[in-house]
PDB file of all heavy atoms in Angstrom:
ATOM      1  N   SER V   1       0.839  -1.233  -0.017  1.00 97.00           N
ATOM      2  CA  SER V   1       0.042  -0.005  -0.004  1.00 97.00           C
ATOM      3  C   SER V   1       0.885   1.251   0.003  1.00 97.00           C
ATOM      4  O   SER V   1       2.055   1.163   0.396  1.00 97.00           O
ATOM      5  CB  SER V   1      -0.880   0.019   1.255  1.00 97.00           C
ATOM      6  OG  SER V   1      -1.787  -1.048   1.181  1.00 97.00           O
ATOM      7  N   PRO V   2       0.300   2.391  -0.401  1.00 96.00           N
ATOM      8  CA  PRO V   2       1.081   3.611  -0.360  1.00 96.00           C
ATOM      9  C   PRO V   2       1.444   3.989   1.070  1.00 96.00           C
ATOM     10  O   PRO V   2       0.825   3.593   2.005  1.00 96.00           O
ATOM     11  CB  PRO V   2       0.088   4.677  -0.937  1.00 96.00           C
ATOM     12  CG  PRO V   2      -0.973   3.923  -1.696  1.00 96.00           C
ATOM     13  CD  PRO V   2      -1.057   2.579  -0.973  1.00 96.00           C
ATOM     14  N   LEU V   3       2.493   4.861   1.130  1.00 96.00           N
ATOM     15  CA  LEU V   3       2.971   5.317   2.440  1.00 96.00           C
ATOM     16  C   LEU V   3       2.735   6.840   2.562  1.00 96.00           C
ATOM     17  O   LEU V   3       2.747   7.534   1.529  1.00 96.00           O
ATOM     18  CB  LEU V   3       4.508   5.061   2.582  1.00 96.00           C
ATOM     19  CG  LEU V   3       4.953   3.603   2.585  1.00 96.00           C
ATOM     20  CD1 LEU V   3       6.428   3.544   2.441  1.00 96.00           C
ATOM     21  CD2 LEU V   3       4.457   2.858   3.832  1.00 96.00           C
ATOM     22  N   GLU V   4       2.460   7.297   3.747  1.00 95.00           N
ATOM     23  CA  GLU V   4       2.280   8.738   3.961  1.00 95.00           C
ATOM     24  C   GLU V   4       3.296   9.182   4.974  1.00 95.00           C
ATOM     25  O   GLU V   4       3.752   8.462   5.832  1.00 95.00           O
ATOM     26  CB  GLU V   4       0.884   9.074   4.374  1.00 95.00           C
ATOM     27  CG  GLU V   4       0.409   8.520   5.703  1.00 95.00           C
ATOM     28  CD  GLU V   4      -0.990   8.866   6.043  1.00 95.00           C
ATOM     29  OE1 GLU V   4      -1.795   9.161   5.131  1.00 95.00           O
ATOM     30  OE2 GLU V   4      -1.308   8.784   7.211  1.00 95.00           O
ATOM     31  N   VAL V   5       3.711  10.503   4.852  1.00 95.00           N
ATOM     32  CA  VAL V   5       4.767  11.016   5.719  1.00 95.00           C
ATOM     33  C   VAL V   5       4.147  11.451   7.083  1.00 95.00           C
ATOM     34  O   VAL V   5       3.071  12.072   7.140  1.00 95.00           O
ATOM     35  CB  VAL V   5       5.421  12.252   5.032  1.00 95.00           C
ATOM     36  CG1 VAL V   5       6.428  12.953   5.982  1.00 95.00           C
ATOM     37  CG2 VAL V   5       6.054  11.859   3.730  1.00 95.00           C
ATOM     38  N   ASP V   6       4.851  11.077   8.147  1.00 95.00           N
ATOM     39  CA  ASP V   6       4.578  11.608   9.525  1.00 95.00           C
ATOM     40  C   ASP V   6       5.814  12.346   9.924  1.00 95.00           C
ATOM     41  O   ASP V   6       6.711  11.800  10.473  1.00 95.00           O
ATOM     42  CB  ASP V   6       4.229  10.488  10.475  1.00 95.00           C
ATOM     43  CG  ASP V   6       3.902  10.927  11.861  1.00 95.00           C
ATOM     44  OD1 ASP V   6       4.067  12.143  12.163  1.00 95.00           O
ATOM     45  OD2 ASP V   6       3.403  10.147  12.688  1.00 95.00           O
ATOM     46  N   ASP V   7       5.817  13.683   9.628  1.00 94.00           N
ATOM     47  CA  ASP V   7       7.042  14.464   9.944  1.00 94.00           C
ATOM     48  C   ASP V   7       7.332  14.530  11.413  1.00 94.00           C
ATOM     49  O   ASP V   7       8.498  14.484  11.829  1.00 94.00           O
ATOM     50  CB  ASP V   7       6.810  15.898   9.405  1.00 94.00           C
ATOM     51  CG  ASP V   7       7.099  16.050   7.934  1.00 94.00           C
ATOM     52  OD1 ASP V   7       8.062  15.410   7.473  1.00 94.00           O
ATOM     53  OD2 ASP V   7       6.321  16.730   7.262  1.00 94.00           O
ATOM     54  N   GLU V   8       6.260  14.600  12.247  1.00 94.00           N
ATOM     55  CA  GLU V   8       6.479  14.680  13.687  1.00 94.00           C
ATOM     56  C   GLU V   8       7.230  13.509  14.235  1.00 94.00           C
ATOM     57  O   GLU V   8       8.092  13.645  15.142  1.00 94.00           O
ATOM     58  CB  GLU V   8       5.096  14.835  14.358  1.00 94.00           C
ATOM     59  CG  GLU V   8       5.200  15.198  15.871  1.00 94.00           C
ATOM     60  CD  GLU V   8       3.821  15.461  16.433  1.00 94.00           C
ATOM     61  OE1 GLU V   8       3.119  16.399  15.897  1.00 94.00           O
ATOM     62  OE2 GLU V   8       3.436  14.788  17.303  1.00 94.00           O
ATOM     63  N   ALA V   9       6.928  12.280  13.728  1.00 94.00           N
ATOM     64  CA  ALA V   9       7.559  11.062  14.270  1.00 94.00           C
ATOM     65  C   ALA V   9       8.720  10.634  13.366  1.00 94.00           C
ATOM     66  O   ALA V   9       9.350   9.640  13.667  1.00 94.00           O
ATOM     67  CB  ALA V   9       6.510   9.944  14.295  1.00 94.00           C
ATOM     68  N   SER V  10       8.957  11.366  12.288  1.00 95.00           N
ATOM     69  CA  SER V  10      10.040  10.952  11.336  1.00 95.00           C
ATOM     70  C   SER V  10       9.829   9.551  10.904  1.00 95.00           C
ATOM     71  O   SER V  10      10.702   8.711  10.913  1.00 95.00           O
ATOM     72  CB  SER V  10      11.408  11.154  11.919  1.00 95.00           C
ATOM     73  OG  SER V  10      11.689  12.482  12.127  1.00 95.00           O
ATOM     74  N   GLU V  11       8.615   9.332  10.401  1.00 96.00           N
ATOM     75  CA  GLU V  11       8.275   7.964   9.885  1.00 96.00           C
ATOM     76  C   GLU V  11       7.441   8.039   8.605  1.00 96.00           C
ATOM     77  O   GLU V  11       6.883   9.056   8.293  1.00 96.00           O
ATOM     78  CB  GLU V  11       7.404   7.236  10.892  1.00 96.00           C
ATOM     79  CG  GLU V  11       8.093   6.887  12.185  1.00 96.00           C
ATOM     80  CD  GLU V  11       7.185   6.290  13.269  1.00 96.00           C
ATOM     81  OE1 GLU V  11       5.956   6.584  13.284  1.00 96.00           O
ATOM     82  OE2 GLU V  11       7.699   5.474  14.061  1.00 96.00           O
ATOM     83  N   LEU V  12       7.473   6.986   7.818  1.00 97.00           N
ATOM     84  CA  LEU V  12       6.541   6.764   6.753  1.00 97.00           C
ATOM     85  C   LEU V  12       5.567   5.692   7.200  1.00 97.00           C
ATOM     86  O   LEU V  12       5.938   4.618   7.625  1.00 97.00           O
ATOM     87  CB  LEU V  12       7.303   6.302   5.462  1.00 97.00           C
ATOM     88  CG  LEU V  12       8.271   7.260   4.865  1.00 97.00           C
ATOM     89  CD1 LEU V  12       9.008   6.628   3.663  1.00 97.00           C
ATOM     90  CD2 LEU V  12       7.533   8.540   4.420  1.00 97.00           C
ATOM     91  N   VAL V  13       4.275   6.046   7.135  1.00 97.00           N
ATOM     92  CA  VAL V  13       3.265   5.167   7.733  1.00 97.00           C
ATOM     93  C   VAL V  13       2.411   4.548   6.585  1.00 97.00           C
ATOM     94  O   VAL V  13       1.968   5.300   5.639  1.00 97.00           O
ATOM     95  CB  VAL V  13       2.309   6.006   8.661  1.00 97.00           C
ATOM     96  CG1 VAL V  13       1.249   5.094   9.260  1.00 97.00           C
ATOM     97  CG2 VAL V  13       3.128   6.655   9.775  1.00 97.00           C
ATOM     98  N   CYS V  14       2.182   3.300   6.652  1.00 97.00           N
ATOM     99  CA  CYS V  14       1.368   2.561   5.681  1.00 97.00           C
ATOM    100  C   CYS V  14      -0.070   3.138   5.744  1.00 97.00           C
ATOM    101  O   CYS V  14      -0.623   3.250   6.862  1.00 97.00           O
ATOM    102  CB  CYS V  14       1.367   1.069   5.930  1.00 97.00           C
ATOM    103  SG  CYS V  14       0.388   0.121   4.808  1.00 97.00           S
ATOM    104  N   THR V  15      -0.692   3.335   4.575  1.00 96.00           N
ATOM    105  CA  THR V  15      -2.058   3.891   4.567  1.00 96.00           C
ATOM    106  C   THR V  15      -3.119   2.804   4.691  1.00 96.00           C
ATOM    107  O   THR V  15      -4.305   3.048   4.872  1.00 96.00           O
ATOM    108  CB  THR V  15      -2.326   4.618   3.250  1.00 96.00           C
ATOM    109  OG1 THR V  15      -2.020   3.775   2.135  1.00 96.00           O
ATOM    110  CG2 THR V  15      -1.457   5.871   3.179  1.00 96.00           C
ATOM    111  N   ASN V  16      -2.706   1.543   4.609  1.00 96.00           N
ATOM    112  CA  ASN V  16      -3.658   0.391   4.820  1.00 96.00           C
ATOM    113  C   ASN V  16      -3.972   0.241   6.335  1.00 96.00           C
ATOM    114  O   ASN V  16      -3.109  -0.034   7.137  1.00 96.00           O
ATOM    115  CB  ASN V  16      -2.989  -0.884   4.249  1.00 96.00           C
ATOM    116  CG  ASN V  16      -3.881  -2.084   4.356  1.00 96.00           C
ATOM    117  OD1 ASN V  16      -4.874  -2.113   5.102  1.00 96.00           O
ATOM    118  ND2 ASN V  16      -3.552  -3.138   3.619  1.00 96.00           N
ATOM    119  N   THR V  17      -5.222   0.450   6.658  1.00 93.00           N
ATOM    120  CA  THR V  17      -5.591   0.388   8.096  1.00 93.00           C
ATOM    121  C   THR V  17      -5.343  -0.994   8.753  1.00 93.00           C
ATOM    122  O   THR V  17      -5.121  -1.097   9.942  1.00 93.00           O
ATOM    123  CB  THR V  17      -7.057   0.785   8.300  1.00 93.00           C
ATOM    124  OG1 THR V  17      -7.883  -0.051   7.501  1.00 93.00           O
ATOM    125  CG2 THR V  17      -7.289   2.216   7.916  1.00 93.00           C
ATOM    126  N   GLU V  18      -5.408  -2.079   7.919  1.00 94.00           N
ATOM    127  CA  GLU V  18      -5.136  -3.359   8.468  1.00 94.00           C
ATOM    128  C   GLU V  18      -3.665  -3.617   8.775  1.00 94.00           C
ATOM    129  O   GLU V  18      -3.303  -4.438   9.596  1.00 94.00           O
ATOM    130  CB  GLU V  18      -5.658  -4.455   7.548  1.00 94.00           C
ATOM    131  CG  GLU V  18      -7.185  -4.479   7.480  1.00 94.00           C
ATOM    132  CD  GLU V  18      -7.670  -5.542   6.448  1.00 94.00           C
ATOM    133  OE1 GLU V  18      -6.875  -6.397   6.036  1.00 94.00           O
ATOM    134  OE2 GLU V  18      -8.869  -5.518   6.188  1.00 94.00           O
ATOM    135  N   CYS V  19      -2.792  -2.930   8.044  1.00 96.00           N
ATOM    136  CA  CYS V  19      -1.343  -3.055   8.199  1.00 96.00           C
ATOM    137  C   CYS V  19      -0.817  -1.916   9.113  1.00 96.00           C
ATOM    138  O   CYS V  19      -0.455  -2.193  10.294  1.00 96.00           O
ATOM    139  CB  CYS V  19      -0.662  -2.993   6.861  1.00 96.00           C
ATOM    140  SG  CYS V  19       1.120  -3.042   6.918  1.00 96.00           S
ATOM    141  N   GLY V  20      -0.826  -0.700   8.618  1.00 95.00           N
ATOM    142  CA  GLY V  20      -0.503   0.427   9.377  1.00 95.00           C
ATOM    143  C   GLY V  20       0.949   0.574   9.954  1.00 95.00           C
ATOM    144  O   GLY V  20       1.243   1.321  10.839  1.00 95.00           O
ATOM    145  N   LEU V  21       1.852  -0.291   9.382  1.00 97.00           N
ATOM    146  CA  LEU V  21       3.203  -0.241   9.932  1.00 97.00           C
ATOM    147  C   LEU V  21       3.869   1.160   9.689  1.00 97.00           C
ATOM    148  O   LEU V  21       3.540   1.781   8.671  1.00 97.00           O
ATOM    149  CB  LEU V  21       4.088  -1.330   9.181  1.00 97.00           C
ATOM    150  CG  LEU V  21       3.748  -2.728   9.546  1.00 97.00           C
ATOM    151  CD1 LEU V  21       4.626  -3.744   8.670  1.00 97.00           C
ATOM    152  CD2 LEU V  21       3.994  -3.037  11.004  1.00 97.00           C
ATOM    153  N   ALA V  22       4.656   1.567  10.627  1.00 97.00           N
ATOM    154  CA  ALA V  22       5.354   2.874  10.549  1.00 97.00           C
ATOM    155  C   ALA V  22       6.868   2.622  10.416  1.00 97.00           C
ATOM    156  O   ALA V  22       7.455   1.978  11.282  1.00 97.00           O
ATOM    157  CB  ALA V  22       5.062   3.640  11.831  1.00 97.00           C
ATOM    158  N   TYR V  23       7.415   3.068   9.310  1.00 98.00           N
ATOM    159  CA  TYR V  23       8.798   2.819   8.980  1.00 98.00           C
ATOM    160  C   TYR V  23       9.663   4.037   9.352  1.00 98.00           C
ATOM    161  O   TYR V  23       9.281   5.176   8.986  1.00 98.00           O
ATOM    162  CB  TYR V  23       9.006   2.477   7.495  1.00 98.00           C
ATOM    163  CG  TYR V  23       8.206   1.234   7.115  1.00 98.00           C
ATOM    164  CD1 TYR V  23       6.967   1.302   6.620  1.00 98.00           C
ATOM    165  CD2 TYR V  23       8.849   0.007   7.213  1.00 98.00           C
ATOM    166  CE1 TYR V  23       6.226   0.156   6.289  1.00 98.00           C
ATOM    167  CE2 TYR V  23       8.158  -1.143   6.889  1.00 98.00           C
ATOM    168  CZ  TYR V  23       6.834  -1.092   6.424  1.00 98.00           C
ATOM    169  OH  TYR V  23       6.210  -2.214   6.091  1.00 98.00           O
ATOM    170  N   PRO V  24      10.751   3.848  10.070  1.00 97.00           N
ATOM    171  CA  PRO V  24      11.578   5.045  10.437  1.00 97.00           C
ATOM    172  C   PRO V  24      12.299   5.647   9.284  1.00 97.00           C
ATOM    173  O   PRO V  24      12.554   4.990   8.296  1.00 97.00           O
ATOM    174  CB  PRO V  24      12.582   4.443  11.455  1.00 97.00           C
ATOM    175  CG  PRO V  24      12.693   2.959  11.046  1.00 97.00           C
ATOM    176  CD  PRO V  24      11.293   2.634  10.508  1.00 97.00           C
TER     177      PRO V  24
END
């Protein structure tokens, strides 16, 4: 699934609600 930026946490977060993994 696509990833979205979380600047505050310095992570890329999966947009799939079932997955939702956050990559540093």
Side-chain angles (χ1 to χ4, degrees):
S1 296
L3 298 169
E4 63 183 22
V5 176
D6 181 349
D7 280 319
E8 191 174 300
S10 293
E11 294 176 329
L12 294 177
V13 181
C14 179
T15 57
N16 180 344
T17 56
E18 291 179 11
C19 176
L21 290 174
Y23 299 91

